Amino acid sequence: MTGTADAQDLKRFRFMFPVESVNQFHPFYIADQRGYFREEGLAVEFADAGGSSAAIQQVIAGNAEAALPAPSAFLNAVAQGYDLKWISSYQYANIFTLAATAASGIHSIEDLKGKTVGVSDLSGGEVPLVRAVLAEAGLVEGRDVRILPVGDGSALTLNALQSGQVDAYSSSLFDIAAIRASGVEMTTILPKEAQDFPANGIVVTAEALEADPAMFEGFLRATAKGVAFAAANDAQAFEMAKAIRPEEFEVDAVAKANWEAAHILKTPPASLADQPLGTHFVQGFQAYHDFLRQGTEEEGGLAADVDLTKALDSSLLEAANRFDKAAVTRP
């Protein structure tokens, strides 16, 4: 391709996803397929770390240049003393939610008194969220509300909801989407302020960022191009993602529900509509930080305050958005 580096000149760049999902992270894969990383002189390798904390550890250990963790894992790592930078935001809505079956008659957190809430696993990332919103509503786990692990949107989860074993379910938006696609009507009861907590973004070590800012600028620019292309060409992006990993798209209803969930997560709040791609939603970050500070470390809470003016780094965003958007978004 014109203007791209020769293969031998490409710089290797390992990028860690918290989970393996082309559907959820399709702009990155599309950026790779369309040659945007190569145009920036990068040979990018994608890898699944098996969780946000594990992804961050790979970056800290020097086994990856960057990762895409959840903010809770990032904030906890920084609170523990690791010098990390969140250099671009990818998802803006809380990836975890809490919903009740329509048949349960539950419309608020307070309505959960005497009920059972299903979760994917007792160590799942949604559990601290459930415990916190219950506490805010004056409900005590074990006395007023029971928390029961029922899987991550699987047949086990579906059976628990349909049989009435659990009255509500908390997990990722993708697990809830799978439940809805299976025909169970669900009503979101997570408070609005918690729905607006940010989700995954691109994280690097401060040392690596200082050593080679141009490399990370190029990575962010290529990623921004992938985000812009996918937003402007939704149907084509869906077919491209489907071709990359067909097994994720075998059940059409589930694939489309997950695609819509990915859209919800990627959409920035109205206040950022005219800002560069990747801009941080500082207000939501601060609210999430303060929320996590209320919990104990055992519950996933923060051990110490995090200075977001230092942890959230916007130094590369303006330059990363310098590209011909009309040319990039052309089908």
Side-chain angles (χ1 to χ4, degrees):
M1 286 185 291
T2 303
T4 62
D6 291 332
Q8 62 267 30
D9 297 327
L10 297 179
K11 183 176 294 186
R12 295 185 64 82
F13 191 107
R14 195 162 191 245
F15 188 63
M16 304 298 300
F17 290 117
V19 295
E20 187 176 29
S21 174
V22 171
N23 195 319
Q24 183 177 173
F25 306 126
H26 59 272
F28 294 89
Y29 290 89
I30 288 172
D32 190 38
Q33 281 226 333
R34 290 182 65 83
Y36 299 149
F37 292 119
R38 185 182 177 88
E39 289 172 1
E40 299 294 341
L42 300 175
V44 176
E45 174 197 354
F46 297 137
D48 168 21
S52 289
S53 296
I56 286 178
Q57 286 303 318
Q58 290 294 317
V59 172
I60 292 171
N63 297 326
E65 278 63 44
L68 194 75
S72 54
F74 167 73
L75 290 170
N76 270 292
V78 175
Q80 291 166 20
Y82 293 104
D83 195 0
L84 300 171
K85 300 293 184 182
W86 183 284
I87 61 172
S88 181
S89 292
Y90 172 61
Q91 295 171 328
Y92 290 92
N94 194 344
I95 195 169
F96 298 116
T97 191
L98 173 60
T101 61
S104 70
I106 296 170
H107 301 285
S108 68
I109 301 299
E110 288 76 11
D111 291 341
L112 289 172
K113 187 171 184 177
K115 306 293 184 180
T116 300
V117 175
V119 295
S120 64
D121 185 88
L122 289 178
S123 63
E126 73 276 14
V127 176
L129 179 71
V130 172
R131 287 174 171 157
V133 296
L134 288 177
E136 285 183 355
L139 300 176
V140 178
E141 178 190 352
R143 185 190 72 189
D144 301 316
V145 181
R146 182 186 178 206
I147 295 179
L148 183 69
V150 293
D152 52 358
S154 62
L156 177 66
T157 314
L158 190 61
N159 179 67
L161 288 163
Q162 291 177 324
S163 67
Q165 184 182 13
V166 298
D167 307 284
Y169 178 59
S170 181
S171 191
S172 76
L173 287 179
F174 297 94
D175 293 338
I176 297 290
I179 293 299
R180 286 180 170 139
S182 299
V184 177
E185 189 177 348
M186 302 289 287
T187 301
T188 299
I189 60 172
L190 187 69
K192 182 63 170 63
E193 59 270 21
Q195 294 179 40
D196 292 338
F197 290 160
N200 300 42
I202 299 173
V203 170
V204 302
T205 64
E207 181 181 9
L209 179 60
E210 183 178 359
D212 197 347
M215 177 180 70
F216 293 108
E217 177 190 318
F219 182 82
L220 294 191
R221 184 163 38 248
T223 298
K225 289 178 180 180
V227 170
F229 177 87
N233 303 280
D234 186 67
Q236 185 179 351
F238 182 86
E239 292 303 320
M240 290 177 70
K242 184 176 181 179
I244 293 169
R245 189 165 297 149
E247 58 269 27
E248 274 191 55
F249 296 79
E250 288 178 349
V251 181
D252 190 59
V254 173
K256 289 181 176 177
N258 284 340
W259 192 259
E260 179 56 32
H263 271 296
I264 293 171
L265 288 169
K266 288 190 302 172
T267 303
S271 61
L272 300 185
D274 298 325
Q275 297 301 307
L277 294 172
T279 297
H280 313 310
F281 183 42
V282 178
Q283 181 181 346
F285 240 104
Q286 188 65 59
Y288 193 31
H289 168 278
D290 296 345
F291 176 85
L292 290 174
R293 281 293 281 146
Q294 298 175 34
T296 65
E297 288 187 63
E298 292 75 20
E299 295 172 336
L302 290 181
D305 286 334
V306 172
D307 185 348
L308 294 182
T309 63
K310 295 179 180 179
L312 301 180
D313 190 305
S314 302
S315 61
L316 302 179
L317 292 178
E318 184 178 346
N321 277 266
R322 290 193 196 120
F323 58 88
D324 187 343
K325 190 171 183 180
V328 166
T329 57
R330 193 175 300 126

